[in-house]
Amino acid sequence: MALNDLGSTFEIRSMAGVGRSFANGTALSLSLSHKSNASTADINPGVNSLHLRWHFPL
């Protein structure tokens, strides 16, 4: 089994996050996501991720 194998080719991701845009065009966001095969296979380890994003215009 590969390290990123979630037990099936079918995967679902859910995500929730918050963010803010600033007057100078930059933006900052924080989100939490969960990815799994929704128990459609015998093996369903799932994976959670925390994402921090900083956007700035070029």
Side-chain angles (χ1 to χ4, degrees):
M1 181 187 308
L3 292 177
N4 60 353
D5 184 2
L6 296 180
S8 174
T9 57
F10 176 76
E11 297 173 357
I12 293 177
R13 182 175 86 162
S14 55
M15 179 183 283
V18 294
R20 169 141 187 182
S21 296
F22 300 97
N24 64 0
T26 62
L28 185 65
S29 63
L30 180 68
S31 63
L32 178 64
S33 70
H34 173 78
K35 187 166 63 168
S36 74
N37 66 31
S39 296
T40 59
D42 293 335
I43 299 172
N44 184 23
V47 63
N48 297 310
S49 302
L50 182 65
H51 308 267
L52 177 63
R53 179 177 176 248
W54 176 47
H55 169 82
F56 58 94
L58 294 177

